[in-house]
């Protein structure tokens, strides 16, 4: 804002020469009212900084919030002006200034033997008194600015207007630029602080936890809406009060004194039992306060129950842990110890074992003991799913991926197992093309749905199981060697029941008691153990599952007081012939095995369980053999 057209033109030439586009020039030369109107208009239009001479600076700062940079006349400006006037002209020279003349200007005049007197004004009205005083003192000329020039002319007093030099204008422009840069940086900082504060406030207002904090004087500083509801008080009435007046026995002063955090503490607030965390606020190694969070334990329990119910509905939970594995033999105890050590790892586990040895029981136990225990446990028997459906079951499919596919598509088991564990039983049964996809999932940690293009990241631990010799399978080309080594990072061999000694008796008796509903009489238990002793030495080719089948038959026969010699005869016959499906069949092996499968399915058309039991094998083994021979259910 220039008080004269001459100063405005000089400033414009300098600004144009510097190639600046962020500086506008305005002339306000008609007194105070003109200056105020111009300044306020500029402020409304978004001006940030004003450059002006001293008198204008004062008026702008008094009437607006704008930052003003003053054009300060330098010694050179005054020296040039005196030279133009005539350094040796006799008489008193009057200096009209807003601020006192600098010492260097006064010293210069003294050195040049120039008689000077400084007349200081603060308002436009003061200028009249200053000019009259100079005239009364006999001054021969006045040196001032745009305010004293028209007054001097009106009173007939000689006057010279001091013009700002180019250097003065450049210095002011540079200073204004630095101030603007500081303003911009400060605005960004304030915006970041405001954003952070708004974020904190949103967290406080909408979190499910009650939050309270105190300062280093134990006065309440923060109380969010949930805390207001739980404590039955208002933040507006509580902030600033001692915490014990708002909520007794918070233990926050203790944390303030000790500096030790307290987590997962039980605290009673009214009729509500809460889980509480108390954390000290440390700034520059000084404890400045304490923040506490409170969670309604009943609400936590309800939420956990809902989550567990949803997981149960989907069948995505592990039901068993190592505590559910029964047995006292050294062999099973060593196996459990190895499996426990595997639980602490994230590596893939391959479980080897004959049918019925409890492979899924161990898989669930490893999951339950791992840090993934709160995640889903997803299990699938690869032998029970047809080859053309197995890939879509594991990896999901997009809408319209194949005939009969859901119009919305479906997520696969790997997606369902995200954050948890997937158990692939009978892994040796998956076809080669699915093996390739499974290998890619293990390598890339992502799945691609059937018929889809996008990849979906998954965080899944994989546990597999088989009763096959996968090394032999790789040698014969049935199983990919690279996949085998990906799956067999941690190897767990489950012992067959025939190698577990007295565990047969322990497991059999436990299952017998369960069948009796916990009401078995000593006589019933004795008779059961007598019959179990008669088959001592039997190899139990179906392992625990076959033992349970045997026990269930004995239980039914004992309940009906039926002759049980036929049961014993059948068991002894199996001991002679070997396991029906796992061992080789005499004569035309495949033909006889196929006939046996078809006969069992025809005898028990409505129950795969009964058909498998009649053959002395598991349902999984029955499915696998049916797939081998291309047999369908009748």
């Amino acid at each position: 804002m220039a008080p004269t057209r001459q100063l405005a033109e000089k400033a414009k030439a300098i600004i144009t020469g510097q190639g600046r586009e962020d500086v506008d020039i305005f002339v306000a030369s008609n007194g105070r009212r003109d200056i105020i109107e111009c300044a306020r208009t500029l402020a409304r239009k978004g001006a940030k900084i004003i450059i002006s001479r001293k008198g204008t600076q004062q008026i702008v700062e008094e009437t607006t919030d704008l930052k003003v940079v003053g054009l300060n006349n330098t010694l050179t400006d005054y020296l040039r002006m005196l030279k133009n006037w005539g350094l040796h002209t006799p008489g008193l020279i009057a200096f009209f200034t807003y601020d006192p003349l600098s010492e260097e200007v006064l010293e210069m005049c003294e050195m040049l033997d120039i008689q000077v007197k400084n007349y200081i004004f603060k308002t436009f009205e003061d200028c009249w008194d200053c000019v009259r005083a100079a005239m009364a003192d006999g001054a021969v000329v006045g040196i001032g600015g745009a305010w004293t020039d028209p007054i001097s002319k009106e009173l007939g007093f000689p006057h010279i207007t001091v013009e700002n030099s180019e250097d003065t204008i450049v210095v002011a422009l540079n200073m204004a630029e630095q101030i603007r840069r500081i303003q911009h940086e400060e605005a960004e900082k304030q915006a970041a602080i405001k954003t952070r504060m708004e974020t904190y406030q949103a967290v406080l207002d909408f979190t499910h936890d009650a939050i309270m904090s105190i300062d280093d004087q134990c006065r309440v500083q923060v109380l969010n809406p949930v805390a207001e509801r739980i404590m039955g008080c208002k933040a507006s009435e509580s902030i600033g009060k001692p915490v014990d007046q708002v909520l007794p026995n918070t233990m926050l002063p203790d944390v303030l004194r000790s500096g030790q955090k307290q987590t997962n503490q039980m605290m009673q607030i009214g009729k509500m039992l809460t889980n509480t965390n108390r954390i000290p606020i440390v700034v520059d190694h000084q404890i400045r306060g304490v923040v506490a969070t409170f969670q309604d334990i009943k609400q936590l329990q309800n939420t956990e129950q809902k989550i567990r119910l949803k997981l149960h509905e989907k069948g995505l939970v592990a039901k068993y842990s190592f505590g559910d594995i029964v047995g006292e033999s050294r062999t099973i105890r060593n196996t459990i110890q190895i499996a426990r050590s595997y639980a602490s790892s994230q590596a893939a586990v391959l479980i080897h074992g004959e049918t019925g040895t409890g492979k899924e029981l161990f898989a669930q136990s490893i999951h339950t003991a791992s840090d993934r225990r709160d995640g889903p446990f997803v299990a699938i028997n690869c032998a029970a799913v047809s080859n053309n459906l197995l890939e879509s079951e594991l990896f999901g499919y997009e809408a319209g991926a194949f005939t009969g596919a859901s119009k919305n598509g479906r997520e696969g088991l790997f997606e369902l197992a995200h954050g948890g564990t997937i158990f692939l039983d009978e892994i040796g049964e998956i076809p080669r093309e699915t093996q390739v996809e499974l290998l890619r999932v293990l390598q890339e940690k992502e799945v691609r749905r059937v018929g889809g293009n996008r990849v979906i990241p998954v965080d899944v631990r994989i546990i597999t199981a088989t009763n096959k010799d996968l090394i032999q399978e790789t040698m014969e080309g049935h199983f990919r060697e690279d996949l085998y080594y990906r799956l067999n990072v941690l190897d767990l061999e489950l012992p067959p029941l025939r190698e577990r000694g007295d565990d047969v008796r322990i497991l059999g008796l436990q299952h017998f008691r369960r069948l009796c509903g916990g009401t078995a009489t000593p006589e019933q238990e004795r008779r059961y153990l007598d019959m179990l002793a008669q088959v001592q030495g039997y190899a139990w080719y179906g392992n625990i599952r076959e033992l349970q089948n045997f026990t269930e038959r004995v239980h039914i026969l004992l309940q009906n007081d039926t002759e049980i010699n036929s049961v014993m005869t059948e068991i002894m016959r199996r001991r002679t012939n070997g396991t029906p499906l796992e061992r080789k069949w005499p004569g035309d092996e495949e033909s006889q095995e196929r006939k046996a499968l078809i006969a069992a399915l025809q005898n028990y058309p409505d129950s795969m369980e009964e058909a498998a039991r009649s053959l002395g094998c598991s349902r999984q083994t029955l499915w696998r053999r049916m797939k081998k021979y291309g047999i369908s259910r009748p």
Side-chain angles (χ1 to χ4, degrees):
M1 288 179 61
T4 66
R5 177 63 57 183
Q6 182 180 358
L7 178 58
E9 292 299 329
K10 181 185 289 188
K12 184 176 181 180
I14 294 171
I15 291 166
T16 302
Q18 291 185 347
R20 304 183 63 124
E21 298 180 354
D22 59 341
V23 182
D24 298 310
I25 301 172
F26 299 88
V27 178
S29 58
N30 294 325
R32 179 182 177 87
R33 181 174 297 177
D34 189 22
I35 293 171
I36 294 173
E37 183 178 347
C38 181
R40 288 177 174 172
T41 300
L42 293 175
R44 286 194 298 270
K45 291 183 177 181
K48 299 300 180 183
I49 300 174
I50 298 291
I51 300 176
S52 71
R53 289 172 65 107
K54 287 289 186 178
T56 303
Q57 178 181 3
Q58 181 199 21
I59 296 173
V60 174
E61 288 179 339
E62 286 176 352
T63 56
T64 71
D65 293 328
L66 292 171
K67 178 67 179 176
V68 184
V69 176
L71 287 166
N72 297 315
N73 290 323
T74 65
L75 178 63
T76 303
D77 295 337
Y78 285 107
L79 186 59
R80 184 180 296 109
M81 179 275 307
L82 289 171
K83 181 181 178 182
N84 293 336
W85 165 254
L87 293 176
H88 303 293
T89 302
L92 177 66
I93 297 177
F95 279 88
F96 303 124
T97 60
Y98 183 81
D99 290 323
L101 276 174
S102 65
E103 290 296 326
E104 59 182 5
V105 173
L106 294 173
E107 290 175 0
M108 176 197 69
C109 291
E110 185 178 352
M111 291 172 61
L112 296 175
D113 198 22
I114 299 174
Q115 185 181 1
V116 299
K117 186 174 181 180
N118 189 195
Y119 298 87
I120 301 171
F121 59 87
K122 291 298 180 183
T123 66
F124 185 76
E125 288 72 19
D126 292 343
C127 293
W128 290 90
D129 296 333
C130 289
V131 174
R132 289 190 180 101
M135 294 173 66
D137 291 338
V140 296
V141 66
I143 298 175
W147 286 10
T148 54
D149 181 66
I151 294 173
S152 296
K153 288 179 179 178
E154 187 172 337
L155 295 175
F157 181 63
H159 185 275
I160 301 172
T161 300
V162 180
E163 294 295 338
N164 297 102
S165 66
E166 182 176 331
D167 290 342
T168 302
I169 296 172
V170 171
V171 169
L173 284 167
N174 291 338
M175 183 178 294
E177 185 177 16
Q178 292 177 12
I179 292 173
R180 181 67 192 118
R181 185 166 56 250
I182 293 171
Q183 286 179 338
H184 184 69
E185 292 173 355
E186 186 62 27
E188 287 185 336
K189 290 180 182 177
Q190 291 299 321
I193 292 172
K194 185 176 181 180
T195 300
R196 191 156 53 244
M197 294 304 296
E198 290 294 335
T199 302
Y200 293 157
Q201 193 62 51
V203 171
L204 286 172
D205 291 344
F206 296 102
T207 183
H208 294 294
D209 295 349
I211 300 175
M212 166 190 270
S213 74
I214 62 171
D215 61 14
D216 55 1
Q217 301 298 315
C218 292
R219 296 184 296 250
V220 175
Q221 294 295 297
V222 172
L223 205 67
N224 75 337
V226 183
E228 289 181 304
R229 177 176 55 80
I230 290 178
M231 298 175 190
C233 59
K234 294 182 178 180
S236 59
E237 299 173 356
S238 303
I239 292 176
K241 288 184 178 181
V243 65
D244 286 340
Q245 292 183 14
V246 177
L247 183 65
N249 303 320
T250 61
M251 306 296 290
L252 296 184
D254 293 345
V255 176
L256 186 65
R257 285 189 292 270
S258 68
Q260 300 296 316
K261 66 180 179 181
Q262 299 176 0
T263 58
N264 295 320
Q265 304 291 307
M266 306 285 275
M267 180 177 174
Q268 191 76 33
I269 301 179
K271 296 182 179 180
M272 183 182 296
L273 183 62
T274 66
N275 179 63
T276 305
N277 296 312
R278 308 179 185 97
I279 311 297
I281 303 170
V282 181
V283 180
D284 295 331
H285 307 293
Q286 296 287 328
I287 300 175
R288 300 296 187 183
V290 181
V291 63
T293 62
F294 308 91
Q295 296 175 302
D296 182 357
I297 289 180
K298 186 175 180 180
Q299 184 177 356
L300 286 175
Q301 291 172 335
N302 291 339
T303 301
E304 181 182 1
Q305 185 179 21
K306 289 178 182 178
I307 293 173
R308 290 187 177 278
L309 284 173
K310 288 183 179 179
L311 290 175
H312 272 290
E313 288 173 5
K314 295 183 177 181
L316 305 182
V317 293
K319 302 176 183 178
Y320 301 108
S321 64
F322 286 115
D324 296 309
I325 301 176
V326 178
E328 300 297 334
S329 65
R330 180 185 297 274
T331 306
I332 197 63
R333 292 292 104 189
N334 288 342
T335 305
I336 292 173
Q337 185 176 359
I338 294 170
R340 282 187 185 277
S341 67
Y342 289 173
S344 61
S345 171
Q346 296 294 323
V349 179
L350 177 58
I351 302 175
H352 297 274
E354 296 178 4
T355 181
T357 51
K359 293 187 285 293
E360 182 166 355
L361 177 60
F362 270 87
Q364 291 194 23
S365 299
I366 291 172
H367 169 80
T368 305
S370 72
D371 57 5
R372 293 175 177 266
R373 65 181 65 88
D374 295 325
F377 177 86
V378 179
I380 181 174
N381 189 298
C382 300
V385 182
S386 62
N387 292 346
N388 59 336
L389 291 178
L390 182 59
E391 189 172 337
S392 62
E393 283 292 317
L394 291 176
F395 311 124
Y397 58 84
E398 296 292 353
F402 50 84
T403 303
S406 169
K407 64 178 181 180
N408 298 320
R410 197 177 77 177
E411 57 188 345
L413 297 182
F414 270 94
E415 291 179 62
L416 291 174
H418 180 71
T421 303
I422 189 168
F423 174 58
L424 306 180
D425 199 4
E426 304 284 4
I427 189 66
E429 300 299 324
I430 64 174
R432 291 279 295 186
E433 55 270 22
T434 307
Q435 291 178 29
V436 174
E437 289 298 316
L438 180 57
L439 180 63
R440 189 182 63 81
V441 172
L442 293 174
Q443 291 173 334
E444 306 297 333
K445 306 294 185 184
E446 59 190 24
V447 297
R448 182 184 292 111
R449 292 182 180 179
V450 175
N453 295 319
R454 64 190 180 99
V455 293
I456 304 169
V458 289
D459 172 25
V460 176
R461 185 185 190 183
I462 185 168
I463 300 177
T464 55
T466 182
N467 56 12
K468 284 189 172 184
D469 183 352
L470 291 188
I471 292 290
Q472 184 65 32
E473 292 290 307
T474 60
M475 294 174 63
E476 295 176 358
H478 301 311
F479 201 85
R480 292 181 61 98
E481 187 175 3
D482 48 2
L483 177 59
Y484 170 74
Y485 287 113
R486 282 278 184 178
L487 297 174
N488 194 31
V489 179
L490 302 176
D491 183 83
L492 184 65
E493 186 75 35
L494 301 189
L497 190 56
R498 58 184 171 273
E499 296 178 5
R500 293 176 55 177
D502 199 44
D503 285 352
V504 174
R505 179 179 179 277
I506 296 172
L507 288 164
L509 187 58
Q510 180 200 54
H511 189 58
F512 182 78
R513 288 169 175 167
R514 186 182 298 120
L515 292 171
C516 293
T519 61
T521 64
E523 176 61 20
Q524 288 175 323
E525 291 185 8
R526 184 190 63 76
R527 293 186 64 188
Y528 169 74
L529 292 176
D530 285 346
M531 283 183 284
L532 195 58
Q534 292 182 41
V535 293
Q536 186 176 5
Y538 175 55
W540 299 107
Y541 300 112
N543 290 287
I544 298 172
R545 189 174 294 110
E546 186 179 7
L547 174 61
Q548 290 175 343
N549 292 345
F550 167 80
T551 303
E552 189 165 348
R553 292 186 191 182
V554 172
H555 171 258
I556 293 172
L557 295 173
L558 287 175
Q559 289 291 102
N560 294 280
D561 200 23
T562 305
E563 175 59 44
I564 61 174
N565 288 333
S566 60
V567 178
M568 310 311 299
T569 301
E570 182 181 349
I571 292 294
M572 296 306 293
R573 178 178 60 79
R574 290 189 203 165
R575 289 183 58 190
T576 302
N577 296 335
T579 182
L581 294 184
E582 298 299 336
R583 293 187 179 273
K584 291 185 177 180
W585 293 68
D588 185 1
E589 298 168 359
E590 291 192 358
S591 175
Q592 292 190 40
E593 184 176 9
R594 194 174 192 280
K595 290 178 180 178
L597 290 169
I598 294 172
L601 292 170
Q602 289 175 344
N603 290 334
Y604 301 98
D606 299 324
S607 174
M608 291 292 289
E609 181 72 36
E610 289 297 329
R613 183 178 298 173
S614 71
L615 293 167
C617 68
S618 66
R619 282 190 302 172
Q620 287 78 12
T621 301
L622 178 55
W623 277 112
R624 188 171 64 251
R625 297 304 181 185
M626 288 169 62
K627 184 186 297 186
K628 175 182 176 181
Y629 295 116
I631 300 173
S632 301
R633 292 186 64 177

